[in-house]
Amino acid sequence: MSSVPFPFTAVVGQTDLRLALLLNAVSPAVGGVLVRGEKGTAKSTAVRALSALLPQVDVVPGCRFSCAPGAPDPACPDGPHEPGAGAARPARMVELPVGASEDRLVGALDIERALSEGVKAFEPGLLADAHRGILYVDEVNLLHDHLIDLLLDAAAMGASYVEREGVSVRHAARFLLVGTMNPEEGELRPQLLDRFGLTVEVAASREPAQRVEVVRRRLAYEDDPAAFAIRWADEEHEVRARVVAARALLPQVSLGDTALLQIAAACAGFEVDGMRADIVMARTATALAAWAGRTSVRKEDVRQAALLALPHRRRRNPFDAPGLDEEMLDRILDGFPDEEPEPEPDPEPQGPDDGGDGDGDGGGPDGDGGGVPPQHDGPPAQEADSPEAAPDAPDTTREDAPQPSAQGSGAAEQAPVAAAEPFRTKVLSVPGLGEGAAGRRSRARTAHGRTTGSQRPRGHLTKLHLAATVHAAAPHQKARGRAGRGLVIRKDDLRQATREGREGNLVLFVVDASGSMAARQRMGAVKGAVMSLLLDAYQRRDKVGLITFRGSGAELALPPTSSVDAAAARLERLPTGGRTPLAAGLLKAHEVLRVERLRDPSRRPLLVVVTDGRATSAGVPGGRPGDTPRELSGRSARLLASEGIASVVVDCESGPVRLGLAGVLAADLGAPAVTLDGLRADSLAGLVKNVRTAVTHTASLDSVSRRAA
């Protein structure tokens, strides 16, 4: 990887992305940017290039917390600092890895020295490094929730607090927060989305000319990064100067009553929750005016601010697509006439759009050749010029692409039916105590939660168990020559608190899509129930997978993923018809879980089989002569039970005459069976609380089967 970053002004297209980043560079109070988009759309390239456009910062020499020499932080752990001359350095771009620990983010306090010597020995974290610069989180949707909470709290307060057993350290942490994510890999919670000031949706352009230009620039950069950077140096300098000028002009920009009414009307009209959207829109509109070289906010500034600040705040659940009705926005804003324009100062030198570079894309952050930011009149033209993805072929696995079926051509396929209205479901959890990724479903040993005991620390001490530490040190005080009131603490005395919280699981859905499910128009209710379980999985931070079976076999419709809305999209398009190869669906689940166990052994699975229990087709090779489809499905279920896989059967059978086959399947799986109505949280209390541990002994399994019969 080259040490020379790809120039910001050389990014092709991506008008909204570049504008959102530059507005935050002008006014960090806007609150950061969340960039959502498919893989290979230069999200990371644009963010990493932004740091070169930020002005240099003056810092106190030797201060690890980047204090400003003219106004040092009085609470700085390296202070106190006397005001005086400082040293200039470039603004930093600090990247937070997805697997970072809490100590790496906020810093580590030496508990041993704090207890024994009363010294606040503090090692700064990434929040301190990013102070007065950029903090970049790639794949922010995969970051643990408690780290996101810490990150956003620090961004909102402008300070980071480290609290450990009554010892606290505080330092300033003001930074431009930028997160990037691929929605296919999972969504952020709505309350976390709301904490990002602006959100931008990016997608690869389908225009051949722009794609050609992306490849041309990427190849030129890779051939000679230094020469490529020199080619764009003038454009970079102009945009950097424009950022400095806009920062200087920002305090002079007035936000009139008409603009405030437009902002309030837009937020109320789109029914966004809370008041954060109004504040963010006001700050964004002010930054837009300063960027355009004006001292008053106009209607076009409010409109552009709404397009950047409101779409992600309108989502109510993960199945809602982000977006904004621009015609409705125009109707709202047209109800408020613009104020009389004030005389404007001489325009500042504009960005690289003025001169152009001869390649037809403008090259600059606006794309319109002037100081007024462009309006978003349609889907943004975004480009895949990231180092790892630019030369690649277009992605052909998009959500809206038709999916091939492995169900067999013999199935009498029926058109997909719409899902019934989702509802709040009972809590289904995996028994026992796990150690998987933090979530909200099953009990697990976690870094956060209630304290259940103590142990010797494995590596660096993070959560001190004070009582256990004192208990371990107390018997040795005389031998250690204790004199005075303080304890003499050694490293071997320290005890780590063990905590119990909740983990996220892998919820694998096995859905019967055969003709028997559609015969009585049940598929709408079945899809509604699975949608409800998917929504529950989203709220509990699970991974999900989807297997369907019908006709002559089973298909992995969606490999295990954190993108719950992707599973919902596949379910909506699910056709029905044909025979019922129940055994094929169960064996496909066994195969998927075996592979996932190798990939992520700490994440425990929960198998949810949605069926009426019928088995009319084998759908699998290798059965014994004379085996019936029902016998094959029973043997497949007992295979899953023998491996201790926690399961639940959702019984979809309806009508006055019921065969009870789903109950037999549940007995073979060693699992409870619950009806569609029984899934509802407002049904009879206590019907389904926990998935029972799979029965592993043959005698016990036979006994359960006889009782079910």
Side-chain angles (χ1 to χ4, degrees), residues 76 159 189 199 214 456 551 664:
C76 176
R189 303 198 313 266
T199 296
V214 169
R456 291 182 182 273
V664 176

Side-chain angles (χ1 to χ4, degrees), residues 542-604:
D542 296 316
K543 290 180 68 174
V544 297
L546 177 64
I547 292 172
T548 64
F549 59 93
R550 67 181 184 90
S552 60
E555 175 187 18
L556 179 60
L558 182 72
T561 175
S562 297
S563 179
V564 173
D565 52 343
R570 300 290 171 89
L571 186 70
E572 280 285 358
R573 297 194 298 267
L574 177 65
T576 57
R579 306 185 72 184
T580 312
L582 177 57
L586 297 175
L587 290 178
K588 174 64 76 172
H590 180 268
E591 176 188 346
V592 171
L593 294 178
R594 178 184 61 81
V595 173
E596 287 301 309
R597 191 181 298 118
L598 297 174
R599 290 177 177 169
D600 190 357
S602 65
R603 188 180 289 270
R604 297 186 296 164

